[in-house]
Amino acid sequence: MKRAEWIWYPDDFEIELSGRFMAERYERDIVIPPFWRMDSCYKNVKFRKVFELANAETVKIDAEGVFNVMIDGAYLYSVKTAFEVPAGKHEILVSVFNDKGLPCLKLSGDEVVTDDTWQVTCCDHVFKNAACDEDFLNGKTPNNFSLPSEKRKWVEKIPSEKGDIYDFGEEMFGRAVFSGAKLSEGARVYYGESLEEVGDREHCELLSEDFVAKPSAESAAGKPVGGEATENEVTTKIAKAFRYVTTEGIEFSEIYVDEEISPSVCRSSFECDDPVINEIYKVAVRTMQLCSREFILDGIKRDRWLWGADVYQSSLMHYYSFFDAKSIKRSMIALFGKSPFSLYINHIMDYTFLWIICFDDYYRHSGDEKFARENCYKAFEMMEHCLGRRDGNGLMDSRPEDWVFVDWADLDNSGEVCCEQMLLVAAIKRCVMLSEEFGYKDKAERYRAIYEETAAKLERFWLGDKKGYTYSMRNGKPDGKILMHPNIFAVLFDLCDEERKQIIKENVLENPEIPKIVTPYMRFYELAALCRIGETKYVMKEMVNYWGAMIKEGATTFWERYDPKETGAEKYAMYGRKYGKSLCHAWGATPLYIIGRYIVGLKASDNAKSFTLQPDLAGLKRFKVEMPLAKGTVKVEADEKTVKVLSDEIKGTLIVNGKSYVVEPKKETEVAL
């Protein structure tokens, strides 16, 4: 029997699920929904497919929403749970309406089953291939989806004057469960990523006041409880991020956590002669795994939102660790929302350019031509929106309603900010490549002309006397400020020649008089740029000093920001709140990308049909690694004498000392250094 799958209108599952998920962000007892436009799914859809059956069959129907069934244009009456399809050739059309969620359908017969070969329309006279993902649903229905969970016990009970504190040993995401629970009025659970936070009940970021009976033989799922009610097991309604838990107004015989399990499974490993680097790698993996949930999040405690730049950076880290293609696609789909595109991603100009770059990067790393071909119109819509907001000089200028971000730093982002022009050029180049590849000849010619024109205008920002790109232009004049940010982008996105890159390296990136980058977000770009110009040894030392110091502070995941000068509880403060800093933040997992891309030296090529590998010990004596590819994995062992490479499925090229060697699948290649 064929497998039946839940099907829905393309993108609608991701859009609907992301809205529900992001609406569960709380600061203490108040909900904080996203501040950008949230789209919703189409509420009224029709599914169709033609079958030719040798025998009549009974088809079981499941739908979320009200529905009707037509065969060959005639309604079937009294259909509740199943219907008959006679032998022969027939068109089945099912209409589903759901004003409370995602309209979706599942038909289960011998031959008649729903899958992605069905077509669907939102009643606009245009039919598209239906979407489905039964593996991700994991037995759940689309409107009742939740990640699977497993029981985690606390590792230490810490006595406290206000009540015992339970330490679960590491950062996690889940629901606290209480066995034999008796809830008093005002019952609360307080959470903390740190011991200081959980002990400060007046200022901790997260708490729970809503409880439900945990599904069991004795209690129904979702049954509300409270007052003096006693249930076999009671759980918090919404999953939270924490390491420590304490309670108020709850008597219980046992406490544990239902930890949600990330759908992303790590496909990489890394081990070298430096134990600090090894530990950094492990903590980075844990950090990214926690932030890779239904979607790729920036941080699991505070925001729980999708941000364009965070998804971009995280996707690059994914390619060298988890390579969860579905998670990356879900995140990009949810960020775009519904067509037509009319607002910057997250209201942020630079995040919109980074979405386009992220989309093209995904295609180059995965080789997923079907997804890229079907969705490249989104990149083009975004680009048209951006081009329509250029000023009289043909450059991106900030407007009152726009957020020009660049970095969490004290920056004046008024005028024509150089970083935005650079990201515009990088994004247009990706649009040129996509339009050429997928047969949009006229579009490709137009984008190429705009690309060449805009790239030439970057020269206005180059100050030869100061040997760097100025930060911005106002009224046609450069502000004269030489900062790291635009010069990092110039190197990273290949916006200048090699000679100028060396000038930037010597006069900006290595200049102690230029203000340093202090945020982990921009450090991702900075360290990658330094690796691009050969400073891998320096980058590895920085990794040990910065990320290694966090581990010495007791970090089990990497933080949103780290300043070794901050001590005590002050090191957890951010955004004007005592514990506002996220201690599990996606961009904190930067070492995954740096190690995979620049130390192992792995790069996808020919739209993931092959790869190049250029290992760099960068001061290490040896390393042994396994990295994911679009198909299979590649294993690399390198020391000061030899490099060994084994790819299980894809052909590649190993580059050692400027010479290239063919790596055949399933055949170990060994080269002397």
Side-chain angles (χ1 to χ4, degrees), residues 344-620:
Y344 287 137
I345 295 289
N346 310 123
H347 288 304
I348 302 176
M349 185 190 296
D350 24 316
Y351 282 23
T352 306
F353 297 133
L354 290 172
W355 189 101
I356 297 171
I357 297 169
C358 179
F359 178 85
D360 183 71
D361 276 346
Y362 170 74
Y363 176 41
R364 308 303 165 187
H365 282 87
S366 69
D368 189 347
E369 182 179 344
K370 181 177 183 294
F371 178 81
R373 184 181 295 276
E374 291 178 354
N375 290 275
C376 64
Y377 76 90
K378 297 175 181 177
F380 302 152
E381 280 192 20
M382 284 186 184
M383 181 52 65
E384 293 303 325
H385 174 76
C386 295
L387 293 175
R389 297 178 71 82
R390 291 176 295 173
D391 63 14
N393 297 320
L395 297 173
M396 304 303 300
D397 200 348
S398 59
R399 301 188 186 187
E401 67 271 25
D402 298 338
W403 183 1
V404 177
F405 173 68
V406 182
D407 187 16
W408 285 118
D410 186 15
L411 300 169
D412 182 354
N413 285 324
S414 61
E416 298 165 340
V417 176
C418 185
C419 291
E420 302 300 329
Q421 320 313 319
M422 290 179 163
L423 290 175
L424 169 63
V425 170
I428 296 176
K429 185 176 181 179
R430 304 304 182 97
C431 286
V432 171
M433 295 163 61
L434 289 167
S435 54
E436 287 179 342
E437 192 142 354
F438 296 127
Y440 297 93
K441 183 178 179 181
D442 293 343
K443 196 180 293 290
E445 291 177 355
R446 175 171 172 268
Y447 283 149
R448 180 168 294 281
I450 297 173
Y451 165 74
E452 293 173 354
E453 176 186 353
T454 310
K457 291 176 181 177
L458 292 180
E459 283 302 300
R460 301 179 187 180
F461 294 84
W462 177 256
L463 302 185
D465 58 333
K466 295 188 176 183
K467 299 180 179 179
Y469 287 95
T470 190
Y471 189 77
S472 67
M473 301 272 289
R474 297 183 188 87
N475 300 317
K477 296 181 180 180
D479 65 3
K481 296 178 181 177
I482 303 297
L483 299 178
M484 292 281 191
H485 305 76
N487 293 284
I488 288 171
F489 282 175
V491 171
L492 192 58
F493 292 108
D494 289 320
L495 300 174
C496 59
D497 59 27
E498 295 303 316
E499 180 181 356
R500 184 170 289 182
K501 287 178 184 178
Q502 289 301 311
I503 294 173
I504 289 172
K505 171 188 171 183
E506 296 168 6
N507 294 278
V508 181
L509 302 185
E510 295 180 348
N511 187 344
E513 296 182 3
I514 303 295
K516 290 186 176 181
I517 297 297
V518 297
T519 65
Y521 169 70
M522 189 53 63
R523 288 228 82 187
F524 174 93
Y525 301 116
E526 179 190 20
L527 296 181
L530 287 168
C531 286
R532 291 288 293 271
I533 51 179
E535 292 298 316
T536 52
K537 288 184 179 180
Y538 169 80
V539 168
M540 291 295 276
K541 289 179 182 177
E542 284 294 290
M543 195 183 299
V544 170
N545 293 338
Y546 188 83
W547 280 270
M550 272 190 270
I551 292 175
K552 288 182 180 179
E553 292 272 8
T556 63
T557 51
F558 288 129
W559 303 356
E560 181 177 13
R561 181 173 179 170
Y562 174 67
D563 185 344
K565 293 179 289 186
E566 295 174 344
T567 59
E570 71 170 337
K571 65 189 174 189
Y572 305 124
M574 206 166 174
Y575 309 109
R577 304 196 302 276
K578 287 184 71 173
Y579 306 102
K581 183 181 295 179
S582 164
L583 301 192
C584 178
H585 219 73
W587 65 45
T590 291
L592 295 178
Y593 177 65
I594 297 299
I595 288 173
R597 175 64 184 87
Y598 297 107
I599 306 307
V600 179
L602 178 63
K603 183 181 179 182
S605 57
D606 192 21
N607 295 342
K609 295 182 181 69
S610 62
F611 64 87
T612 58
L613 193 66
Q614 194 166 5
D616 183 349
L617 288 172
L620 298 173

Side-chain angles (χ1 to χ4, degrees), residues 626 629 631-635 646-650 664-666:
E626 184 171 10
L629 299 169
K631 293 181 180 179
T633 63
V634 59
K635 296 178 181 179
L646 178 62
S647 171
D648 57 6
E649 289 195 47
I650 295 178
E664 296 287 353
K666 296 180 173 58

